Structure formats: structure tokens, C-alpha cells
Amino acid sequence: MPARSLALVLVFLGGVVGWSAPAPDEPTPKELEAALQNLKQIGLGFHGYSDSHEFQWVDDITDKDGRALLSWRVALLPYLDAEDLYKEFKLDEPWDSAHNKKLVAKMPKIYAPVRVKAKAGETFYQRFVGKGALFNEKGSSYKLNAVPDGLSNTALVVEAGDPVIWSKPDDLPFGAKQPLPKLGGLFGGSFHVLLGDGSVFRVKKDFDVDEMKKVIMPDDAQPVDTRKLQK
């Protein structure tokens, strides 16, 4: 083949490859599917826990005075096929005790970032915690079978903007009249939401903040327009 023709073919092929590949800042279908499946499994874990605890939501592990010691992510381990790891924790000690801190490095793959880099033992999967959210500093005021707005309209876990140590009782602060914390650290601003019924959807970067707050609040009696949220 003449050199000029070969050059044209290579340019054409390069254009095709460039056109079909995702942009550098765009997630691949494989990454999106991995995140979706992680959250679905976490949702199944929440429901498995509730089935075994009279419809109570899994929550942070606390001491007798109510001080949070370990994250709900640790409490959920027996329902994520990780009971052996759960048994390694000293549940009466904080996450950063000499013993428990060694287990940070054993974070299950289900909590690990599917795309961006984070420090070892860090996860983006977090809940909203605060007055008006499904969870507050003392747990949840609602049982799984009695969420006023319905499980399909209430956020359970989201992909936060910044990662936290998975075993540390650390989540996203929420206030109905306060700005939302940073979200979407895994996918450049867009993020997935796990709802109380176990379903998952992806929220676009330029989402409607007020509409998102409706999803976070379990008892606002406001209909949700997902067109203002979904990507």
C-alpha cells in the first residue's frame, strides 16, 4: 500500500477509535456496572439485617453511652458474606484502637472505589446523617416497613464526594436548609443513589438540589420528579 494511502487509513482508524472510546473523564460501562452492583449488594445487606432485627436499620456500633465506635459498614459485614472479618473486630473498641485499626486494610472489595484512587481502606459509600434525614446522630426514627415517603423515594446510601475510612463512623452531614455536601467523587460529579427498596439510579452532575433533598428526607410528603435528577 502506498505510504500516503496507509497514512490516511491510520488517521481514519485513529478517528474511529477516538470517537468510540469514552472521554478521559467519563466512566466506562464496566465501571458504572461495578458501582451499580456494589450498591445493590449493600442494599441487600441492609434488608438482610432488617429482616433479622425486627425491621430496624443497620447503624453504627456504639458503646453503652451511645458513642459511635465503628461504622454501619462494619455492622453490615455478616450480611455481605464477610462474617469472618466481622468477628475479627473488637466491637467494644473504637475503629482506631490498636486492634481495630489493623483491620482497616482488610476493607471488603464491595466498599472499594471502582474508578478513582483513594487511600487504602477508604470508601465513597456513605449515608446522609442529620435532622430530617433517614438517619440522625441517634440512629433512625423509622423502621424499614414504616418509612412515610416509601422506600422507593428515600435515599439510603450514596457515592460521596470525598472518601472516608470504611470502618470509621463517618458519613455525610445533612440539614434541610443547609447546602448539600460534596457528592460524586467516583464519577466526576455524577453519582449513584441506593434507595431504601434496594434500587439504584445515577444522578447527573447538574442535578436539582431541592429535588435531591426530597429523596434524602423520608417524611417530607413531597413527590419526587426524577427527571430533575437522573442521568
Side-chain angles (χ1 to χ4, degrees):
M1 179 180 292
R4 177 179 174 81
S5 298
L6 178 59
L8 289 173
V9 169
L10 291 175
V11 168
F12 173 74
L13 289 175
V16 170
V17 171
W19 174 80
S20 61
D25 61 340
E26 282 295 315
T28 66
K30 184 177 180 180
E31 291 168 337
L32 290 172
E33 180 63 21
L36 180 73
Q37 293 304 320
N38 281 349
L39 282 170
K40 283 187 174 182
Q41 289 300 312
I42 291 171
L44 288 173
F46 266 90
H47 280 256
Y49 179 96
S50 293
D51 288 346
S52 302
H53 293 79
E54 299 181 342
F55 299 106
Q56 297 287 345
W57 292 108
V58 67
D59 204 0
D60 293 337
I61 298 170
T62 62
D63 62 16
K64 58 183 178 61
D65 297 319
R67 183 172 64 101
L69 301 176
L70 293 159
S71 171
W72 59 269
R73 291 173 287 265
V74 173
L76 203 61
L77 290 175
Y79 303 90
L80 298 175
D81 295 326
E83 188 166 7
D84 288 345
L85 177 56
Y86 177 78
K87 290 179 179 178
E88 289 189 51
F89 280 90
K90 290 187 176 181
L91 303 181
D92 59 347
E93 295 182 0
W95 71 273
D96 57 352
S97 70
H99 174 83
N100 287 339
K101 197 168 185 178
K102 296 175 183 177
L103 302 177
V104 170
K106 293 189 176 184
M107 179 177 69
K109 186 178 180 180
I110 195 170
Y111 292 143
V114 300
R115 186 165 185 256
V116 300
K117 291 183 178 180
K119 294 179 182 178
E122 288 188 337
T123 183
F124 285 88
Y125 298 132
Q126 298 169 46
R127 310 170 302 173
F128 286 101
V129 177
K131 186 177 180 180
L134 183 61
F135 301 94
N136 56 53
E137 288 76 9
K138 295 183 179 180
S140 180
S141 303
Y142 310 95
K143 290 191 175 183
L144 181 143
N145 62 342
V147 175
D149 289 350
L151 296 176
S152 61
N153 294 312
T154 304
L156 194 55
V157 176
V158 299
E159 293 163 350
D162 296 305
V164 295
I165 295 173
W166 76 280
S167 55
K168 183 180 180 181
D170 197 358
D171 283 293
L172 296 165
F174 176 76
K177 296 183 179 181
Q178 301 299 320
L180 289 179
K182 182 182 176 183
L183 300 168
L186 276 178
F187 298 113
S190 69
F191 59 95
H192 291 91
V193 176
L194 167 65
L195 297 173
D197 65 353
S199 62
V200 180
F201 71 92
R202 185 181 174 198
V203 178
K204 57 189 177 182
K205 295 180 183 179
D206 56 341
F207 65 92
D208 185 294
V209 173
D210 290 334
E211 210 65 28
M212 185 63 207
K213 287 184 177 181
K214 294 178 185 178
V215 181
I216 297 168
M217 295 185 287
D219 193 13
D220 63 324
Q222 296 294 316
V224 176
D225 185 354
T226 56
R227 293 174 299 178
K228 296 179 180 181
L229 296 174
Q230 290 193 31
K231 184 174 178 64

